[in-house]
Amino acid sequence: MTATPDAKPRGTRLPRTARRRQLLSAAQEVFVENGYHAAAMDEIAERAGVSKPVLYQHFPGKQELYLALLDLHMDDMITRCRDALASTTDNKQRVQAAIGAFFDFVSSQGEAFKLVFESDLRNVAPVRQRMERNLRESAEMISQVIQEDTGCSSDEARLLGVGMVGMAEVSARYWISSNGSIPKDAATQLIARLSWRGISGFPRTNADH
């Protein structure tokens, strides 16, 4: 097999956790470049600089490798959203921080966001379940804040939370696909302003925020 320019030299023994990170990094590059169906375990192993048996020691198949990457990045997205909401008690700033979490996510780690938001395996049950969990958990965190602050019913707050997550995700994906023609901070503030004008129109249960 002819080595690709990005292939790493073989032979270095790494601790299991370090090897796993290395394999996930190589797999991410290949999945993002080629999509799931065109990605090959041969290429992933070569990119990581390991033999196929070593790759299979860590991941029994391509789908398991893909799901491990998906879990990694979805956990990252949920953590970013949680940290954003916990970063302040000022709800206007909370909205901006939550929107900013999506813009930060799509602009970090190359094009890893495509695995989470643009997967070509959406109809495969384990992938669909993870994508639904990502939407549900992000929306629930936001809906809790909305319900506490506005007095909306839980169903209303949940719908608003889903709507806000959808707007943040689609806006962030469009922004990154347009090569960041608007600076990230300006883009975040623009979408946050739109969100806040809608949410701030609801009666407030806590006049201090």
Side-chain angles (χ1 to χ4, degrees):
M1 181 182 294
T2 302
T4 64
D6 294 325
K8 296 176 177 61
R10 297 183 180 179
T12 304
R13 293 186 64 84
L14 295 174
R16 185 172 181 82
T17 54
R19 178 68 77 194
R20 182 180 172 88
R21 284 196 300 270
Q22 179 195 36
L23 296 175
L24 287 170
S25 178
Q28 178 175 307
E29 292 175 3
V30 175
F31 283 133
V32 168
E33 289 171 11
N34 302 329
Y36 176 83
H37 295 292
M41 293 293 270
D42 283 335
E43 184 177 357
I44 293 169
E46 184 179 356
R47 189 76 64 95
V50 302
S51 64
K52 279 182 68 178
V54 169
L55 178 57
Y56 281 111
Q57 284 173 10
H58 292 265
F59 301 99
K62 186 167 71 168
Q63 181 168 300
E64 288 79 7
L65 182 51
Y66 187 87
L67 292 176
L69 265 176
L70 207 55
D71 286 338
L72 181 69
H73 292 300
M74 286 189 172
D75 287 346
D76 178 36
M77 181 66 253
I78 291 168
T79 298
R80 287 174 185 267
C81 189
R82 182 182 295 110
D83 290 348
L85 293 171
S87 65
T88 178
T89 57
D90 181 282
N91 285 326
K92 184 176 182 179
Q93 293 178 16
R94 269 180 168 167
V95 168
Q96 182 163 331
I99 298 291
F102 285 83
F103 279 81
D104 288 342
F105 179 72
V106 301
S107 60
S108 68
Q109 303 183 56
E111 295 183 313
F113 74 93
K114 291 183 176 180
L115 299 175
V116 176
F117 297 141
E118 300 175 10
S119 173
D120 51 358
L121 292 182
R122 283 177 177 266
N123 293 326
V124 176
V127 175
R128 183 176 66 250
Q129 291 163 2
R130 284 163 169 79
M131 299 183 84
E132 289 171 353
R133 177 180 70 87
N134 184 59
L135 172 60
R136 182 177 64 253
E137 292 192 17
S138 297
E140 282 178 355
M141 287 187 285
I142 292 171
S143 69
Q144 286 175 4
V145 174
I146 292 173
Q147 187 175 8
E148 290 169 3
D149 191 53
T150 65
C152 287
S153 70
S154 59
D155 287 342
E156 291 170 336
R158 190 173 299 112
L159 181 58
L160 289 169
V162 170
M164 185 171 169
V165 167
M167 179 169 62
E169 175 195 324
V170 173
S171 300
R173 285 168 51 199
Y174 172 78
W175 171 78
I176 199 72
S177 69
S178 63
N179 299 314
S181 55
I182 301 174
K184 184 172 68 173
D185 287 348
T188 298
Q189 290 173 11
L190 192 65
I191 301 303
R193 193 177 306 131
L194 174 62
S195 299
W196 177 246
R197 285 187 175 180
I199 293 173
S200 64
F202 287 91
R204 314 294 291 282
T205 59
N206 188 340
D208 293 333
H209 289 169

